[in-house]
Amino acid sequence: MLIRPPSDILPSEITAPDIYRERRRFIAQAGSLALAAALPASHAHAATGSLGPLAASPLSTAEERTSRKAITTYNNFYELGTDKSDPAENTHRLKPAPWSVRVEGLVNKPRTFGIDELLKLAPLEERIYRMRCVEGWSMVIPWVGIPLASLLRQVDPQGSAKYVEFVSHYDKATMTRGVLDWPYTEGLRLDEARNPLTILAVGLYGEVLPVQNGAPVRLVVPWKYGFKGAKSIVAIRLVEKQPITAWMKAGPSEYGFYSNVNPEVDHPRWSQATERRIGEFSKRKTLMYNGYAEQVASLYSGMDLRRFF
Ligand SMILES: Nc1nc2c(c(=O)[nH]1)N[C@H]1C(S)=C(S)[C@@H](COP(=O)(O)O)O[C@H]1N2
Ligand SMILES: [Mo]
C-alpha cells in the first residue's frame, strides 16, 4: 500500500491513506455502513481525521510552523525502523485503535483510560511548540493535546510518588528487534510532569495524530530533547525512584535522565550549540531550555546541569 506519497503531493493530503485505512477498519469492524454510522461520536473523529474546535493555548509560539509533510515523513520512531523515512512507510505495523493507557503505581486511584476518556479530561488545545532533537535538527510543531497534569489529577498521586515513567507500545512480531531494550521507556520528575508545558499529544495540525508521530497518544516536553517524548504510550507509572530510561540503558554517558535542551552541554557526538530548523538552510543558535527558560528554569535552580544532563 502506498504510504509515502510522491513529493509533489499537497501536505494536507499526506494523512489521507492513514485516515482512509482507519475509516475502512471501523467500517469493517462494524460490519455494515449502518452500524458504522451509529458508532459513538468519539470514533467519528478517527474516521474524519479532524479533532474539532480547539482552544488556542497562550503557551504556543508564533514562529512559522514546519510543514505537515516534514513533520510526518522525517521521524524518529525506532520501533518502526531507524531511518527517518521508515516510520511513515511502516505505519501498518502499529494499530492505534482500540487503545488504552494504564495509569498505575503510587496513586490512590489507578485507572485505565480509553482514548475517548483522555480526550475528555480537558479541552483539547493547540500547542505550537519548538521541538529539538539531540541530533541537531528542530521543528515547530502544532500539536493538539491535553496537559499531563489533568490526567495526573484524576489518579491522585501519593506523597511518595516523585517520578513518572512512560512506557511505549512494543510488539516484537511487527516491530524492530534489537537497537534498544524494548519497550521504549522514558521518565520525568513529578514536578516536570505537572508543568503546564507538558502535554499528552493526541493530534497534529488539528487532526488525529499520525502513527509515525506516536499515535494515538504520546508525550511532548518542549524544553527537553525530542527523545523524551515517548510515542504510542500504553502505561504511565508513578514511582518513588528515578526511572532508568531506554536511552540511559543504551548509552549512559550520552543520555542522562534530564536531557534538558542546553547549548552549553554537548552530547559526545553532536554539538548542542546550534541547530538546523527543518526547512531552513542556515543554522540557528540553540536556546537554553529550547527557549522555555521563563517557564521551566526554576525547576532546576541550584542543580549542576553538567552533572544532571
Ligand atoms: N516509542 C518511541 N518514542 C520516541 C522515539 C522512538 O524511537 N520510539 N524517538 C524519539 C525521538 S529521538 C524523537 S526526536 C521524537 C521524534 O518525534 P516526531 O517524529 O513526532 O517528530 O520522538 C521520540 N519518541
Ligand atoms: Mo531525537
Side-chain angles (χ1 to χ4, degrees):
M1 180 175 297
L2 176 71
I3 309 250
R4 207 178 172 203
S7 54
D8 57 351
I9 203 160
L10 280 173
S12 58
E13 289 170 335
I14 290 202
T15 48
D18 281 348
I19 292 161
Y20 179 65
R21 192 167 46 245
E22 207 37 36
R23 164 178 264 143
R24 275 203 324 211
R25 215 186 56 74
F26 280 122
I27 291 170
Q29 264 181 1
S32 76
L33 280 170
L35 263 176
L39 282 171
S42 53
H43 282 185
H45 72 74
T48 63
S50 169
L51 285 166
L54 301 169
S57 170
L59 294 166
S60 287
T61 173
E63 283 170 85
E64 192 187 338
R65 299 177 297 176
T66 302
S67 73
R68 185 181 216 294
K69 179 172 178 179
I71 297 170
T72 56
T73 57
Y74 190 87
N75 300 103
N76 277 338
F77 195 170
Y78 279 10
E79 291 91 326
L80 300 180
T82 52
D83 285 349
K84 294 286 180 286
S85 55
D86 284 341
E89 291 168 357
N90 288 318
T91 54
H92 56 283
R93 295 182 188 274
L94 190 156
K95 296 272 163 274
W99 196 275
S100 58
V101 181
R102 294 191 316 276
V103 189
E104 57 193 21
L106 302 172
V107 297
N108 291 322
K109 300 175 188 165
R111 201 176 136 189
T112 296
F113 294 84
I115 291 301
D116 304 345
E117 292 171 298
L118 286 183
L119 294 177
K120 279 187 231 142
L121 284 178
L124 287 181
E125 285 183 37
E126 177 157 73
R127 296 285 187 107
I128 308 172
Y129 281 163
R130 287 181 293 279
M131 304 298 298
R132 190 192 188 286
C133 176
V134 73
E135 293 164 346
W137 48 270
S138 64
M139 300 191 190
V140 175
I141 304 189
W143 301 111
V144 181
I146 59 154
L148 179 60
S150 316
L151 174 87
L152 293 173
R153 265 195 300 276
Q154 295 287 316
V155 297
D156 191 14
Q158 295 170 2
S160 53
K162 297 283 183 278
Y163 295 89
V164 187
E165 185 178 34
F166 303 85
V167 185
S168 293
H169 171 69
Y170 180 67
D171 179 355
K172 70 173 187 297
T174 61
M175 293 177 147
T176 302
R177 300 189 189 206
V179 188
L180 287 175
D181 185 5
W182 311 109
Y184 194 100
T185 58
E186 259 306 336
L188 295 174
R189 223 169 54 193
L190 184 54
D191 56 350
E192 298 176 317
R194 283 177 163 147
N195 186 278
L197 283 172
T198 306
I199 58 169
L200 288 174
V202 295
L204 179 67
Y205 267 108
E207 299 191 343
V208 170
L209 198 62
V211 164
Q212 58 268 43
N213 295 93
V217 55
R218 60 89 60 85
L219 179 66
V220 172
V221 197
W223 72 94
K224 293 178 180 274
Y225 293 114
F227 63 85
K228 297 298 283 183
K231 293 179 171 181
S232 304
I233 291 171
V234 292
I236 298 176
R237 277 187 207 126
L238 284 281
V239 296
E240 189 170 356
K241 296 212 166 66
Q242 182 178 292
I244 311 270
T245 70
W247 284 109
M248 289 166 77
K249 263 187 234 168
S253 60
E254 300 194 11
Y255 305 100
F257 177 78
Y258 284 92
S259 301
N260 292 319
V261 173
N262 186 341
E264 286 161 24
V265 178
D266 283 339
H267 179 277
R269 286 182 285 146
W270 304 290
S271 164
Q272 302 303 322
T274 62
E275 65 199 54
R276 194 173 72 83
R277 181 71 51 86
I278 298 293
E280 294 179 355
F281 292 103
S282 46
K283 289 203 168 182
R284 296 172 170 251
K285 282 210 153 87
T286 288
L287 302 174
M288 188 65 199
Y289 299 115
N290 208 21
Y292 296 97
E294 204 180 306
Q295 290 95 331
V296 302
S298 63
L299 294 170
Y300 312 104
S301 58
M303 285 175 69
D304 175 354
L305 299 179
R306 291 195 168 269
R307 181 162 169 234
F308 298 102
F309 62 99

